[in-house]
Amino acid sequence: MKAVLDHVGIAVERLDEALAFYRDALGLDVSVPEDVATQRVRAHMLDTGPAALELLEATAADSPIAAFVGKRGPGLHHVTLRVEDLPAALRQLAARGVRLIDSTPRPGAHGSQIAFIHPSATHGVLVELKQAPPLALRLATATIPWGDLTLTTVHDGPFRLDGGAMFGVVPKPLWEKLSPADDRNRIQMAMRPLLVESSWGRMLVDCGVGGKMPDKARDIYALDRTVHLDHALAEYRLDAAAIDVVLATHLHFDHFGGATMRGPQGLVPRFPNARYLIRDAEWEDATHPHERNRASYLQDDFVPLLPAGVVDFYTGDITVKPGVRVVRTGGHTGQHQIVYLESGGKTAVFAADLVPTTSHLQDPWVMGYDLFPMEAMAFKKRFLREAIDREYLVFFEHDPLVAAGFIREREGKRFVEQVL
Ligand SMILES: [Zn+2]
Ligand SMILES: [Zn+2]
């Protein structure tokens, strides 16, 4: 069994006084607190390198932390060691006669599994064993009514992109805590187009990668096509023929590769009854790629739409359908745009590659993929302020877990309150 130090837990009596020392005097970074309901405790993690400090605050009088502080006063509460396979570790310890508090794992903070060893076996220290959560992925569909619109998050399966490229100049020790990398430095992502339904019809905002990718690209991007957009639509008894409009945020393969498919006669529109709404200037850029963006603009994804006569070009920021408005952000690509969904006095925004995941909530965390990073950052900074202050429901197209949520800010820290 290999066990590494994960964190040291400190029971506190007065959180504000503890923060005055650890955060203000020592200058440590405190993450958003997490409540562990079963323990009636609120945990505040302090960033101290590979292993952390955890301040534990009781949230009820019958909390084990309240009992601990009542008996011994505040102080060192437990040491947590991380193991790869917690059930195996517990079996191994039990076989050696080690006294355990938990003989089977139970849920801990942030999706982890935990178990405590009895202090009588550990020479007076409460030892917690922890198994980190697996690289997480949640591919789910869900619907929310939005005034005259109905918004349904669908998906076109998972993929992975290089973590370094996804976080630009942000050093790996910072981003990998939020988005763990695999052995090829890739992070887990998803492709989540948005289905918008109204009296005017059914629109897909972006349409995923589709099924045309060759094996080599499937391997590079970890494209797993076991479940994809057809399955997600089928959950609502819909298929490609039921889509009336496909709107592109931009023409990168992970957003618009699903626009075409290979038929017996070659490449054809994937949605046989749909009009495809494409910003004219984005089409110009995509059909005239250069060395830097050629790998993202795959001509087969969109060029065949033109002879098929299914493209409606438009210019500038317009309302494409009642309640659906596009706004150019630039930054990521010259003409990258986000989509405002406004009805019944409420605003939702499909943020596309402006805020691709919930790990991108800090203003300067823009992607290495962005062609114009300073422009991306300036727009994102304004947008995030607006989204927080006006409580927009934000759709995260590439997040592996969260399809949509409200961005909140507490004590200068941003986090997402998940809705879908
Ligand atoms: Zn893109
Ligand atoms: Zn993308």
Side-chain angles (χ1 to χ4, degrees):
M1 181 188 334
K2 188 174 164 239
V4 296
L5 183 60
D6 185 86
H7 67 265
V8 173
I10 299 165
V12 303
E13 190 165 17
R14 300 208 36 162
L15 182 72
D16 50 345
E17 288 176 4
L19 287 176
F21 171 71
Y22 287 102
R23 181 189 60 198
D24 304 336
L26 274 184
L28 295 175
D29 212 20
V30 192
S31 64
V32 176
E34 170 149 353
D35 283 0
V36 184
T38 54
Q39 296 287 297
R40 276 106 44 225
V41 61
R42 188 167 297 138
H44 306 256
M45 298 304 279
L46 299 159
D47 185 1
T48 46
L53 292 180
E54 180 187 40
L55 302 181
L56 298 160
E57 177 195 13
T59 55
D62 63 345
S63 161
I65 294 300
F68 179 93
V69 171
K71 207 158 124 196
R72 300 184 230 192
L76 183 65
H77 180 261
H78 68 267
V79 168
T80 297
L81 301 171
R82 199 166 59 242
V83 295
E84 300 233 309
D85 185 342
L86 183 55
L90 293 173
R91 279 196 303 274
Q92 208 174 315
L93 292 170
R96 286 179 162 263
V98 173
R99 189 170 165 205
L100 303 171
I101 294 175
D102 302 298
S103 54
T104 53
R106 58 187 163 107
H110 301 286
S112 63
Q113 296 284 312
I114 59 164
F116 285 99
I117 305 174
H118 200 276
S120 65
T122 57
H123 304 262
V125 183
L126 179 61
V127 173
E128 179 189 39
L129 295 181
K130 166 179 162 180
Q131 182 180 328
L135 293 184
L137 174 69
R138 172 180 159 267
L139 292 173
T141 65
T143 289
I144 188 168
W146 206 255
D148 296 333
L149 312 173
T150 302
L151 308 179
T152 301
T153 173
V154 290
H155 67 81
D156 194 33
F159 75 129
R160 291 174 183 269
L161 288 178
D162 184 86
M166 279 305 291
F167 292 100
V169 297
V170 179
K172 186 173 179 183
L174 299 183
W175 60 254
E176 74 175 344
K177 285 184 192 156
L178 304 176
S179 299
D182 68 9
D183 55 350
R184 293 162 81 177
N185 209 47
R186 301 171 304 184
I187 60 167
Q188 182 67 67
M189 294 169 59
M191 287 166 286
R192 304 184 189 277
L194 178 67
L195 174 67
V196 185
E197 292 171 284
S198 190
S199 52
W200 43 256
R202 274 190 206 101
M203 172 191 284
L204 264 186
V205 181
D206 285 352
C207 50
V209 68
K212 304 191 303 296
M213 277 293 197
D215 287 348
K216 188 179 172 193
R218 285 187 190 214
D219 175 52
I220 290 173
Y221 301 121
L223 281 170
D224 175 354
R225 304 297 296 163
T226 329
V227 284
H228 54 71
L229 186 60
D230 289 342
H231 301 103
L233 290 174
E235 287 180 33
Y236 296 88
R237 294 198 181 81
L238 298 174
D239 58 15
I243 303 299
D244 305 302
V245 184
V246 183
L247 174 68
T249 61
H250 61 306
L251 299 179
H252 280 171
F253 70 82
D254 53 320
H255 298 253
F256 216 58
T260 61
M261 64 177 199
R262 234 175 275 289
Q265 261 81 54
L267 291 165
V268 293
R270 156 103 173 278
F271 303 92
N273 302 314
R275 301 300 301 173
Y276 288 74
L277 303 187
I278 299 175
R279 196 180 185 103
D280 52 6
E282 172 70 7
W283 179 274
E284 264 314 293
D285 287 350
T287 50
H288 298 87
H290 48 67
E291 292 89 332
R292 175 71 200 279
N293 62 13
R294 188 160 292 155
S296 298
Y297 283 135
L298 307 182
Q299 304 299 302
D300 283 353
D301 291 347
F302 41 82
V303 168
L305 299 174
L306 205 54
V310 295
V311 182
D312 292 328
F313 290 112
Y314 60 89
T315 307
D317 291 348
I318 61 162
T319 296
V320 293
K321 289 282 176 191
V324 183
R325 183 165 64 89
V326 295
V327 174
R328 176 186 168 274
T329 70
H332 179 59
T333 70
Q335 302 295 325
H336 176 271
Q337 56 186 7
I338 55 178
V339 183
Y340 278 67
L341 304 140
E342 297 158 313
S343 190
K346 297 189 289 187
T347 302
V349 179
F350 187 79
D353 279 341
L354 179 68
V355 193
T357 78
T358 57
S359 302
H360 288 85
L361 300 183
Q362 301 192 56
D363 297 332
W365 288 42
V366 297
M367 296 190 280
Y369 292 112
D370 293 350
L371 290 184
F372 312 100
M374 292 305 286
E375 196 180 288
M377 185 175 73
F379 195 100
K380 184 171 137 180
K381 198 177 170 125
R382 279 200 313 277
F383 171 75
L384 286 176
R385 190 72 266 148
E386 188 185 310
I388 294 165
D389 292 347
R390 299 187 193 170
E391 301 200 302
Y392 293 165
L393 178 65
V394 178
F395 283 82
F396 303 97
E397 189 170 6
H398 288 321
D399 196 274
L401 294 170
V402 180
F406 294 107
I407 303 173
R408 306 287 190 208
E409 202 169 49
R410 204 180 290 153
E411 290 166 11
K413 302 270 178 208
R414 288 174 182 171
F415 60 99
V416 169
E417 184 187 318
Q418 183 171 2
V419 176
L420 299 176

